Amino acid sequence: MLPQSGTSQPKFVGLGQYQIATTTPDSLNKTDFSEGGQTYVKGTLALECPHIRTFLAAKTIVEDIAITNLVLCFFDEKLFAISCDYSDALQNMFQKQYGLGTHKKTMNHQLCSQPGSESMALWGEFWQNADIMAFAIHAKGITNDCTYRATNSLIIISQTMSALSSECNLQEQLPFAETFTKTIK
């Protein structure tokens, strides 16, 4: 059964039990998650971002779906960003709950500074619910460290809390989110 056009989709606030601005590090299952390393201010190796904590799960179950490479980012102990692999099963669940996102055509970005290197192709779709945005990002090509990478990621983020942490380097935890966001605006 297809949803009727003109009807609104349910509003998203996270992924399953992981809810933006509600989930805290203390509520996480300690057997699934390990705390990530210290996050630093962009362009530095010594200036820490003390308000940021990250937790990683190689594999966990969310709403009966196996989720891999789940990363939860907290700002002052409140969840503000979620990143995970965007598998076919997760895509089916997400689109059933929230509908099709707004499609963003393929954009090529030169991330590697080596002469003659190929670009990184980014495409996907996005959803917005007030302050919270979700991105399904598909990336294929040469990264900023000049290695080949092909990935499909789902990122859900609070724009307000993300702005508060914008000086912090979260590229590893939220791959291609910053670059993809720039193509939307």
Side-chain angles (χ1 to χ4, degrees):
M1 206 182 234
L2 297 173
Q4 291 179 333
S5 62
T7 59
S8 64
Q9 296 295 325
K11 295 182 185 237
F12 58 87
V13 292
L15 183 64
Q17 67 268 32
Y18 308 111
Q19 301 291 301
I20 300 292
T22 303
T23 301
T24 63
D26 292 338
S27 69
L28 301 178
N29 181 340
K30 303 300 183 218
T31 59
D32 286 348
F33 287 91
S34 60
E35 188 160 6
Q38 180 63 52
T39 303
Y40 295 95
V41 173
K42 291 176 184 171
T44 72
L45 296 175
L47 294 175
E48 296 179 355
C49 290
H51 297 279
I52 304 291
R53 291 177 72 190
T54 60
F55 291 83
L56 306 95
K59 187 175 182 182
T60 191
I61 303 297
V62 174
E63 296 185 15
D64 297 326
I65 294 177
I67 304 293
T68 54
N69 298 316
L70 178 62
V71 178
L72 304 177
C73 300
F74 294 86
F75 181 86
D76 286 342
E77 305 300 308
K78 290 184 181 177
L79 182 63
F80 81 95
I82 301 167
S83 174
C84 64
D85 291 340
Y86 196 49
S87 66
D88 290 342
L90 180 56
Q91 179 179 355
N92 290 337
M93 178 195 81
F94 202 79
Q95 289 180 347
K96 277 183 184 176
Q97 289 180 344
Y98 306 116
L100 297 175
T102 302
H103 183 70
K104 186 64 184 163
K105 293 181 181 178
T106 302
M107 302 289 290
N108 292 309
H109 299 274
Q110 192 66 39
L111 301 178
C112 176
S113 59
Q114 291 181 357
S117 66
E118 71 179 74
S119 60
M120 171 64 71
L122 292 175
W123 70 97
E125 47 277 345
F126 66 95
W127 298 258
Q128 185 158 6
N129 169 24
D131 177 56
I132 301 171
M133 287 192 82
F135 311 97
I137 302 173
H138 311 282
K140 184 177 182 180
I142 304 298
T143 64
N144 56 354
D145 65 356
C146 301
T147 59
Y148 177 83
R149 184 168 179 189
T151 184
N152 297 311
S153 301
L154 176 66
I155 297 173
I156 303 171
I157 194 162
S158 162
Q159 294 178 33
T160 302
M161 286 194 273
S162 178
L164 293 172
S165 65
S166 63
E167 78 281 352
C168 299
N169 184 3
L170 293 170
Q171 180 62 31
E172 186 177 318
Q173 294 85 355
L174 307 171
F176 309 110
E178 193 172 312
T179 305
F180 189 78
T181 303
K182 288 177 186 175
T183 68
I184 293 171
K185 296 179 180 179

